[in-house]
Structure formats: C-alpha cells, structure tokens
Amino acid sequence: MNKLFLSVLCLATTIAFSQQPATPANSVASGITQKTELAQVSAVKNLSFKSIGPTIMSGRVVDFAVNPNNPIEFYVGYASGGLWHTNNNGTSFTPVMDSSPTQNVGCVAVDWQNGTIWVGTGEVNASRSSYAGIGLLKSDDKGKTWQNMGLTDSHHISSILINPTNSNEVIVGVVGHLYSPNEERGVFKTNDGGKTWSKTLFINDETGIIEISANPKNFNTMYATAWDKDRKAWNFDGSGPGSGVYKSTDAGSTWAKVSTENSGLPIGKGMGRMGTAVVDDNTVYLIVDNQFHRKEEPKKEETDILTKDDFKTMDVAAFLNLDDKKLNQFLKMNGFQEKYRAENVKQMVRVGTVKPKDLAKYLEDANSALFDTPVIGAEVYKSTDGGKTWKKTHDGFLDDLYYSYGYYFGKIHVDPNDSDKIYVYGVPILKSSDGGKTFKSIDADNVHVDHHALWINPKMPGHLIDGNDGGVNISYDDGKTWIKNNAPAVGQFYSVNVDNQKNYNVYGGLQDNGVWVGPHDYEANPGWRQNGKYPYEFLLGGDGMQVQIDSRDSDIVYTGFQFGNYYRLDRAKDTTVYIQPKHELGESPYRFNWQTPILLSPHNQDILYLGGNKLMRSMNQGDDWTAISEDLTQGGKPGNVAYGTLTSISESPFQFGLLYAGSDDGLLHVSKDAGGNWTKVSDSFPKDLWVSRVIASSHKKERVYVTLNGYRWDDFKSYVYVSDNYGATWKEIGSNLPTSPVNVIKEDPVNEDLLYLGTDNGAYVSFDRGESWEVFSKELPNVAVHDLVIQPEAKHLVLGTHGRSLYIADISLLQKLNPKTMDEVVLAEMEPVNFSPRWGSKFSTWGEVYEPKTKIQFYSPQAGRATISIKNEEGKELRNISMEANKGVNVLEYDLSISDPPAERAGKEKRVLENGDTKLKQAENGKFYLPKGKYKVNVSVNGKTATSELEVK
C-alpha cells in the first residue's frame, strides 16, 4: 500500500513538474530593459516601417475613459492595440502608448482633474490571444512617457478606481495569470499614488478579481466580483467555487463576501464570470455567467427528424429498421459525404464496419463539449438591500446572449438617470427599461458583435459609446442608430500573405473580422467615403485564418475561418467551395487547431496541404483529400478545446514531398518521401510547447528552422532553433533575444544569412543566421507580430501584427548585408522617380507645395560624418549633403533639389545643367529640381564609399 502510494505520488510529481514554469516577473522586466537597450544600438533602428492599415474593421475594444465634462474627448483601450485618444468625438484618434513597453490593455482610468492616465495592462477577456501585461502603468504627460507603478506579476488587470476627491487613493482589481496559478491577484489599494500597495482581498492563487464597481455617489461603497477559472491549451473551466461577490464600505480597505448560501445568488462550481452596476448604497445589479447545467427538459413529442443524440444509444436492429428516406434526410442535413447514404451506411452497420453511435461521433469534434453543453448562461440579479439578498430580474433564460463563451463577456451597466434602465451585452447588446424583466436588442447593421465596453452619458440620456470586437460605435438615440468610429489601424491579424502581382496585394486573416485583401501601398485617407469603395476588400467572415494564393492565378485563393473551415475562392468568378477534409465514418474525427495550417506546394499549385491531427494532401485544389500520415501529435487530451493538432507545415522547395509538420503539443516530424514515412525530430526540445513555425530552408536542402511558443503555459522565453541535417540535431539561435514568445521565423529569399523573426512584443532581424539579433523599432510599436512575409520582387517585408494591423518596410538594403559586406559602406539601389513639372509648386491657391522625395538608404560600419554627393553623367556635382551617420542602416529623405542657399551656389548648379539642351525653371518655392536623366549617388563615411544610380524618368 505504501509502495503504491509512493508510486502515485512520484507520478503526480513528475506530471506536475513536467509543465513549463511561468516566467517570473523579473525576467519579463529584464527582457523589457534588454529590448530597450538593443533598440538604442540596433543596426536597423533607422529603418522605418509604414502602417498600411487596414482600419475599417478595427479591433477589440476593452475599455473607455470619457471626459465627463467634455464627452467628445475620450480614451479607448484596445486589447492588444494600445491606448488611443480623441478630442473630436472619434473623428480621429492618436496613439498614446507607443512609447510604452507594451500595447496590451486590460483597463484604463483617467483622473480628469489633473490629466493623469492609469492603464492596467493585460486583457482580461481570457481569449486565445488575451496577452499578458507588465503591471500598472501611469502617465502624467498624456502618454508621452510612462512609469510602471508595480503589480508586475499581475499579467491581467481588470479595474482601476480613482477616488474623485483624493487622487492618491486608487483601488485596482487584478485577475492574475491566465494559464498558471500565481499569488499577485485580488484587490490592491494605494494611498500614496502608487508608491506602495497593499493587498486587501485575496481568495486563492487561481481566483482573481474580474471587476470592481463603486457607488457613483459614495466612493466608500464598492463591489468586487471574484472569478475562479482554469484555462489550459486543451480545456477551459470558466467557473469555480472561488467565484463570488464581495462588498466594501471603506473604499476597498476591507471586504465581506455577500454571495452566501442564503443570498439568492448561484454559488459553487458553476459560478462563472460576473459584473456589477451600482445605483446607490442599497441598489446594485449583477450579471453572472451561470455554468451550472440546465435541468433536463421534458422530451418533446417525437418528430420524423432524426438527431445525432438518437444514434448514441440506438442498437443495430433499430438502426437497420430505420426508414431510408428518414435516414437520408439526416445524412444530407448534417453534411455527410455523398458516399454515405442510407443503403450503404446500413450495409456498413450490418457487417459491423461501423456502429450506429458512429453517426453521432462523425458530427462531433474536440469542441463539442464546449458548444453542446446546455448551461444556464447569463442571468441578471438585483439587490435592494446593499447586497444582502438578490433576486433574478427575469423569467427563463437569456438565450443567444453569451452562447457557449460567457467568459468573454460579463458586464452590466445602469443609466445614471434611470435606475430601471440597464444594459447587458455579449454577442449582441441588449437594453432593459424595466429593471431587467424584459430586454430588447439595440444592435445594428454597422455594429459589430461581441461587446466589451459601454459608457453612458450621465448628462445626456441616450448618448452611448460602445466598444466591441469591431471597434467603437456612438449613439445619440439610445441605440436606435449608431455611428462607426474606426479610424485607428488596430486590426488583430493572425496571418499575412502576398501575391506575385507587380503592384502586389496583401492578404490577411483577423480575429473575429474575417479575411481581407488590399493594396500594399495603401495609405489611410477618408476619400473612400466619397467614392464609396474602401481599398481593402472583404473575402470571408469569422475569425480569419491563413491565406494561400495560387502563384499562377491570384484570383484563386484558399482561406477560411477557425477550426479548419477552409474554402477555395475564385474571385474572378465569385465562387466559393468548402474544402475541409472529412474523416471516414467509423474513424475518430479529425482535430483541427483554431489556426489550422494550410500550404500550397511550391512544386505544383494544384497540390494543397492541410494540417489536422494528421497531415492531409489534396492533388486537385482541395476537392479530394488523402491523409498522408498517422496522428502526428501526442493524441490530444480530454477537454473542451481542440488539442493535439498540427500548427505549422512546410515543404522544401528543393524536393517535392520533403515535409515538416509541427504540433501544438510540442512534436515535430519530417518525411522525406511525401508522407510515406515520418520521423519524430523533436525529442531534444523543451516538452509540450506549441510549434509556432517550421520553415524548410530555400537555400540549403538539409536546413530547417523551428520556433516554439510557451504562451499557453505563461512561459515567455524565446525558443528558436536551426538544423542542418533535417532535424536530426538542433542548435538554439535565440541567445540575445529578449524574453517574449516567438510566433514566426522566415528566411530571406535572397540572402541566406538574413532571418526575420516575429514575437509577442516586436520584430527582429539577424544578419548571421541567428547568432545575434537586431530589433526593429522605428515607427513600429511594441506589439505582437503574429506573422510576416517577404514579397521577393518588391523586396518588402510585411508584418501582420495582432493589434496594430499591417506594416511594411523596404529590405533591399538589408539583403545586401552579410558578414563579408558589413565592414564596408553599402548603398541600396534606388527606385526610378517619375519627373513632374509641378515639383515645388501648388496645385491651387489653397493647396500645399508639392515636393518630391526619394530615400537614400545606406549602411555604415561605423558612426561618423557622412557625405552624400549627387552627380550627373559627366561627373559634375549638383548637390552635396552632410549628415551624421549611425553605425548600421541610415536613411536620408532627398527632395531631388539641386539648389540650397546661398543663391550663388544655386545659380552655379543651374549653369552646370544648362550647358546642354536642358533648360531649368525655378519652382514656386525657389528651388531647382533635377531634370530627367541619370545621376550617380555617392555616399562616403570615414573614407569608405559606395555608389548607386538614380534615374529621373
């Protein structure tokens, strides 16, 4: 007995310690410092990125802070897109967190008396991409600079309450870690403006505070809702016995639990996320995600329509006696493949190939437990005695509000001028005018679903500001009509790709905002509202996923939404074909990741790969599929989230069928014979980490790169590896990367030493195949980079960020850099410039002067004084410019002028050019510009020079 106990104990201990440990807060802080220091000396610190939108679909809003005396001024917090400010009612916005170390926002509060901004970092909606924060940030200069005020191991902060009569008194609600237990969660209070904090409420290391609400008339009275949850990559328990409601009557210094056994509230394991709205010291509303199961309803009268549940207990005889017409109706309605019709399915049952219950199993997958569980769902309660007792305000269920994911919502609001008017939201937004007895939807066609924030104007009834997964909406008639205010580029891209058109397009899938395509040279401009056509085009709905474009015909696009629901689109013919592979009847259903990987073969664009738990291959554009592997994962785990799935696939451009497949549970396999045989090559990796990317090299057949991601363990270390022998052995190449999970690695198509990397907090480049890394920072905030792609002809790097949409950079200079050239001055090739006689002039009296510009990009091995000389074909110098060069990449914007004061020099340059047939005309702004022709651009730094050609056409 003792030996048995010891064996069980040892096994439990082994399992417990095999989990990757959460990264300590001091390691995260060190990583932030390291990234800041890297940015200061980075060789690419002057290489700027350009935002190319899109903006129209926006991104997930989590909170507002509205000026109560001037509501056209407010701040909007986006889940992973930072904090934005408007002072013109949302007509335009300015980012105010770009100087901070993170863009991940949980909540925001502003002390409008002095302008101080507080941001609780780390989104609290517990979604797959609710990134952790770095504590509590504070700005006294409207976002120019930020100071970390502590709670650095909180990860996710839900609430900040500032005493309206004492700015130094602040109460904070902390949810805590998303994927691991920790102690820094609960309610925290400061009386000295954040210099010191005291923990005034703590339940346990898996329960945090999801919301704190105060009486608007008495700051001493407040309610805190505790949320006990447990999220893992394979399962999400969104409720637990630690959940409850607490009340304070001394401004958060002490708390008493009011969700007791006799309170009238649901208590125990089924108590999920909650929110409160306080009217006064006596009256308070509460919304709860009640995860207790519904009582089994009386069976309805039998109908002729079969359901999948009918087959779970059906015996063979009963199945064979089913009416063929009735069975065929079931098979067709539920999307069974054409080969499965009544006659042959009965034969399969008759001979024992399948059992009746397999028909139900055929329709279920790893997500069925999440979507098919009949929970009570959202309920609204009201207390009129200060939280002592509660009554449900409505009869029946609030169906179609939370659906199966109440963890994603959980707020309630009351109109400051009418205590019977309340607002709740989940997928739709609902309003009640009778204290929660009845509700009606105030959604609209231009209002996105999935709501997370609402502000009600206390001085103007009917004035609402709503935040949802699609941005900001404003109403002035209590939700009858809405204005959409989506100026910021805050899209949460999962993926990005490009086509091979000369004026190429960018494609990408976004969180809850579908799949879009648009021009790579997009610039935000409200002119589209005049002509009615936004430059980006919507392709598909849902959570947009990966995109593959046929290189022979860019109208053929493969893309889809979550859990492997993929389609083949023919944009020219406007056709859409569903192509998800289906398992055979009698087999276990395939498991598909939320972000299911797809890949067109570089050897034949009719061949498409798709990863479930097995690797599938189609030889005819997705019409038919064959599984070319067994299960390439650890087999999944019991839970309500698909797990044990493939997450990344790659095929070598050197050999058809040289394939790699990585999984969400830490396995990587290689096949050298088109899937005939597979070899596991991941035994030396840290265990159970997400294979975020595998890339077969385009420069060496044996080489392969892999990145692992520990986000779903709260493990934020960077894991990057390379192998030069098909994965037989691995070398770690992320030695100087700051702490941050890695999402993607890509090889440069031209320069084999050049690598690009995207992490949860920025993008990097390596000039020595990963031995060291340089951070990109110019015009690029500290935001999650989910995906990246290189457009080879344009020599552009395109970043898909999860929070700030798309960015683009010119990498033509980087492609020239390697260990051999980095001791010399290197000058990028210059794009031809089209001449215009309007240079230096206005198009109208009221317009601005049109000045041309082109970039002169050069690399210098040392800092020093750089001299840039522009000469004509005869070698005559027309322009000489000096600048201080940094070690690394330098960029000069040249306006193509040949004249600088004094006038004598301009006149001399003019005469040099007019010696031939060319006649120069001075522009309205007094400058002379280069005429059509070819010119030499020479850059010299510390005695080292480089030359390139500039053509004005």
Side-chain angles (χ1 to χ4, degrees), residues 382-459:
K382 181 179 182 180
S383 174
T384 56
D385 56 8
K388 293 177 184 177
T389 60
W390 302 78
K391 290 183 179 180
K392 195 168 78 163
T393 65
H394 53 93
D395 296 324
F397 303 111
L398 294 179
D399 285 332
D400 301 332
L401 179 61
Y402 282 0
Y403 290 86
S404 61
Y405 46 108
Y407 64 86
Y408 197 49
F409 311 112
K411 291 196 173 185
I412 186 169
H413 303 263
V414 60
D415 190 323
N417 296 300
D418 184 351
S419 62
D420 283 329
K421 184 184 286 187
I422 62 173
Y423 303 82
V424 298
Y425 43 75
V427 177
I429 179 170
L430 308 179
K431 177 179 69 174
S432 173
S433 298
D434 53 14
K437 293 179 182 177
T438 60
F439 292 88
K440 73 171 186 176
S441 171
I442 54 172
D443 271 344
D445 289 340
N446 67 334
V447 178
H448 199 285
V449 297
D450 293 357
H451 302 262
H452 305 286
L454 183 71
W455 180 79
I456 306 165
N457 192 336
K459 299 178 180 178

Side-chain angles (χ1 to χ4, degrees), residues 201 203-204 207 223-224 226 240-248 254-261 263 265-268 271 274 386-388 390:
L201 178 61
I203 292 92
N204 60 54
T207 302
Y223 294 83
S243 298
V245 185
Y246 294 79
K247 180 181 180 181
S248 174
T254 61
W255 297 87
K257 189 174 184 178
V258 296
S259 54
T260 59
E261 190 171 347
S263 65
L265 291 175
I267 59 172
M271 204 169 190
M274 290 169 285
K388 293 177 184 177
W390 302 78

Side-chain angles (χ1 to χ4, degrees), residues 4 128 155 162 406 549 584 609 747 761 772 918:
L4 178 61
R128 290 169 176 81
H155 281 201
I162 306 168
I549 307 101
E584 298 297 322
Y609 299 100
E747 236 184 1
N761 199 36
S772 61
T918 303

Side-chain angles (χ1 to χ4, degrees), residues 211-331:
E211 188 174 61
I212 308 175
S213 302
N215 180 355
K217 306 176 186 69
N218 178 8
F219 189 74
N220 284 321
T221 301
M222 53 184 62
Y223 294 83
T225 50
W227 186 21
D228 184 346
K229 65 180 180 351
D230 180 25
R231 178 146 210 165
K232 296 290 186 288
W234 57 89
N235 189 66
F236 189 8
D237 287 331
S239 62
S243 298
V245 185
Y246 294 79
K247 180 181 180 181
S248 174
T249 55
D250 52 12
S253 295
T254 61
W255 297 87
K257 189 174 184 178
V258 296
S259 54
T260 59
E261 190 171 347
N262 297 317
S263 65
L265 291 175
I267 59 172
K269 180 68 178 71
M271 204 169 190
R273 180 174 174 175
M274 290 169 285
T276 56
V278 187
V279 177
D280 52 38
D281 277 349
N282 293 318
T283 307
V284 56
Y285 289 94
L286 177 138
I287 188 166
V288 59
D289 176 28
N290 190 333
Q291 287 290 300
F292 285 108
H293 288 195
R294 298 185 181 187
K295 293 180 180 178
E296 191 171 340
E297 296 180 3
K299 287 190 175 182
K300 297 179 180 178
E301 293 183 14
E302 288 193 18
T303 68
D304 284 338
I305 299 176
L306 292 166
T307 69
K308 72 174 183 179
D309 290 337
D310 293 329
F311 296 97
K312 290 181 178 180
T313 57
M314 189 179 292
D315 61 28
V316 171
F319 183 84
L320 295 176
N321 284 327
L322 285 174
D323 178 68
D324 282 2
K325 183 177 180 182
K326 190 175 179 181
L327 180 55
N328 274 327
Q329 181 187 37
F330 169 81
L331 295 170

Side-chain angles (χ1 to χ4, degrees), residues 129-234:
S129 57
S130 289
Y131 292 112
I134 57 173
L136 197 61
L137 300 182
K138 179 181 178 182
S139 176
D140 295 318
D141 54 12
K142 296 190 175 180
K144 292 179 183 176
T145 59
W146 294 89
Q147 181 182 0
N148 194 309
M149 304 306 295
L151 308 182
T152 54
D153 196 39
S154 57
H155 281 201
H156 303 273
I157 298 178
S158 63
S159 306
I160 303 170
L161 278 67
I162 306 168
N163 189 334
T165 61
N166 178 6
S167 298
N168 287 320
E169 186 178 8
V170 182
I171 294 86
V172 175
V174 174
V175 179
H177 292 191
L178 179 55
Y179 286 98
S180 59
N182 75 309
E183 295 291 322
E184 195 165 84
R185 53 175 84 206
V187 177
F188 294 81
K189 181 173 181 176
T190 180
N191 289 305
D192 53 17
K195 294 177 184 176
T196 60
W197 295 91
S198 58
K199 187 190 292 186
T200 63
L201 178 61
F202 175 76
I203 292 92
N204 60 54
D205 63 4
E206 291 188 340
T207 302
I209 299 301
I210 188 62
E211 188 174 61
I212 308 175
S213 302
N215 180 355
K217 306 176 186 69
N218 178 8
F219 189 74
N220 284 321
T221 301
M222 53 184 62
Y223 294 83
T225 50
W227 186 21
D228 184 346
K229 65 180 180 351
D230 180 25
R231 178 146 210 165
K232 296 290 186 288
W234 57 89

Side-chain angles (χ1 to χ4, degrees), residues 488-519:
V490 288
Q492 294 180 303
F493 277 82
Y494 286 118
S495 66
V496 64
N497 209 344
V498 294
D499 59 29
N500 58 7
Q501 301 296 302
K502 184 172 180 59
N503 190 26
Y504 73 91
N505 296 295
V506 181
Y507 303 71
L510 300 95
Q511 188 277 328
D512 211 21
N513 281 293
V515 182
W516 294 72
V517 57

